[in-house]
Each structure stands twice: as structure tokens, then as C-alpha cells.
Amino acid sequence: MEIWKILVLFFCAFLGGCAIFLVKSDKSKLLKLILSFSGAYLFAITVLHLIPDAYSGVDAHDIGIYILIGFMIQVFLEQFSHGVEHGHMHHHHEHGHNKVFPYGIMISLCLHAFLEGMPLAKEHHNELIFGIALHHIPAAFALASILLQNHYKAANLLLYVGIFAIMAPLGFLLSYGISTGSIGGIEMYFNKMMGIVIGIFLHISTTILFESSVDHKFTRRKMIAVMVGLAVALIGFYTGGHTGH
């Protein structure tokens, strides 16, 4: 097991949350470009790697059902997270000056990140880690901004961002245990679990692509970010990521 995966997942999310203290204005153009890149990258990796792998097992005829379940799980989670996993930082001013803890947002974000860490257990999914890590930077930043709006002290804010940041590594560790068979006998369900994660990725990536800009319009910068995301995924696919399924 490679520790670097855990470190990349944790520190990208944690530092993304810490960045709230460095940004003194609402200009989030760079975050939106990172979002567009990671959305395109996640979508391409899902299509090029995860879907073919999931359908390569003996239970391939059932995988589509689990993909639909995963898609609907993400639809459900967003009722509580308000799209924070897409880097959305609005919708949260209604709390005013009351110190309100956004339980729904925190729980759904943590569950979302936990599930996203799961496909990383397989060796040839190394390239996926960067898409997930990049995607968690604006999500952590958005979470931190909500906590800041609710007047949380820096120490508490960093604690909650840290809890969010550790979720994807925990998902990876559980998935690793399952895929190697070290967690009692449920490795046979690995592809079905991947189907659920694929559904979540499809929802997240397409939502990022279509909702991360005003009026759903693709600006030149966003189009470039999307094309770069697809290109990086394709380069990884043809230079070693492709498993031949």
C-alpha cells in the first residue's frame, strides 16, 4: 500500500480549507478553473478506466443498477450539502450571525469524500487520485468559507476541515482492505461498490461541467481547462493507465 496516496488526498483537502485564511476577496476564478479541470478529468477517468473495469467482472450485468444507485445517492446527498462538493459557496448567508453548525453539509460531504476514496485501491487507478484531490480543494475551501461565515474560530474550523480531509483516505483504506481480501470475505462485492462510486462520479463531474459557470456558458478559459483535463486523462490512459480490458 502506497502512503503517498493518503498524504496527497489528505493534504490537498486540508490545505484547500486552510486557503480560506489567505484569500481576502471573493474572486474565485482560479477555483472555478480547478473545478472545471477536475470535473473533466474525473469524467474522462470514469469513462476510460472505472466503467470498463467494473464491467469486466462476472457480475457485469448488474453493474448498471449500482451505477444508477450511486447517481441517486449523490442526488440525495446534495439535498443536504447544497452543492458544496462542486465548490459552491453561496446559499449559506441565511444563517446570519448565528453560530450554526451545518450538520447536513458536513455529514454529506464526509460521506461523499469517503466514497470517492474507494476506487483508489486498485494499482492502475493511480491517475484518479489527482482528479479527486483537486476536486476536494474547492470543496474544502467552500466548507471552510461556510464555517467562517458562521463565526467559527480558526482552531475549530481547521478541526472540521481536517475531519473532511481524512474521509477520502479512510475510504481508500477500507477499499484496499476489501480488494485484497483482508477484510472478511466481502471482496466479491468490490465491483458493485465501484458501480456506486461510478454513479457518484458521473453526477459530480457532469454537474461541475455544466454548473460551474454563469448561465451554464462555457467561457474560453473554462473550455481550455476542460480540454486540458480530458487531455491529461487521455495521456494517462495511453501511457500506462490502460489495462487492456
Side-chain angles (χ1 to χ4, degrees), residues 29-42 44 134 208-209 212 218-233:
K29 290 181 180 178
L30 179 60
L31 282 175
K32 286 187 176 180
L33 288 178
I34 292 174
L35 262 180
S36 296
F37 170 86
S38 64
Y41 186 81
L42 275 179
L134 277 173
I208 287 172
L209 290 177
S212 61
F218 275 62
T219 62
R220 183 182 298 177
R221 279 184 168 189
K222 179 174 177 176
M223 183 62 77
I224 291 172
V226 167
M227 296 307 293
V228 170
L230 294 176
V232 170

Side-chain angles (χ1 to χ4, degrees), residues 8-20 30-31 34-35 38 84-87 89 116 130-144 161 164:
V8 168
L9 284 173
F10 178 81
F11 281 107
C12 278
F14 187 72
L15 295 176
C18 292
I20 193 72
L30 179 60
L31 282 175
I34 292 174
L35 262 180
S38 64
V84 169
E85 56 271 64
H86 309 144
M89 285 167 275
E116 279 198 329
F130 299 108
I132 294 173
L134 277 173
H135 157 56
H136 283 170
I137 292 172
F141 186 86
L143 173 63
V161 168
F164 167 67

Side-chain angles (χ1 to χ4, degrees), residues 171-202:
F172 161 65
L173 289 171
L174 174 66
S175 181
Y176 183 84
I178 293 170
S179 65
T180 57
S182 60
I183 295 179
I186 55 175
E187 66 270 15
M188 68 184 76
Y189 299 110
F190 190 77
N191 275 0
K192 293 175 181 178
M193 294 167 69
M194 287 304 100
I196 291 174
V197 174
I198 287 167
I200 291 173
F201 280 172
L202 287 175

Side-chain angles (χ1 to χ4, degrees), residues 52-123:
D53 283 352
Y55 276 101
S56 66
V58 293
D59 51 356
H61 59 285
D62 290 334
I63 295 300
I65 296 170
Y66 291 93
I67 292 175
L68 287 175
I69 290 172
F71 193 92
M72 293 311 299
I73 285 174
Q74 184 56 36
V75 170
F76 177 75
L77 288 177
E78 286 193 12
Q79 305 309 307
F80 301 96
S81 68
H82 305 293
V84 169
E85 56 271 64
H86 309 144
H88 288 186
M89 285 167 275
H90 44 280
H91 307 309
H92 306 288
H93 298 288
E94 67 269 18
H95 298 308
H97 294 287
N98 297 319
K99 190 173 181 178
V100 177
F101 185 76
Y103 288 102
I105 291 171
M106 187 72 190
I107 294 170
S108 59
L109 262 188
C110 286
L111 180 57
H112 168 88
F114 182 82
L115 290 170
E116 279 198 329
M118 297 192 72
L120 301 172
K122 292 195 175 183
E123 287 302 310

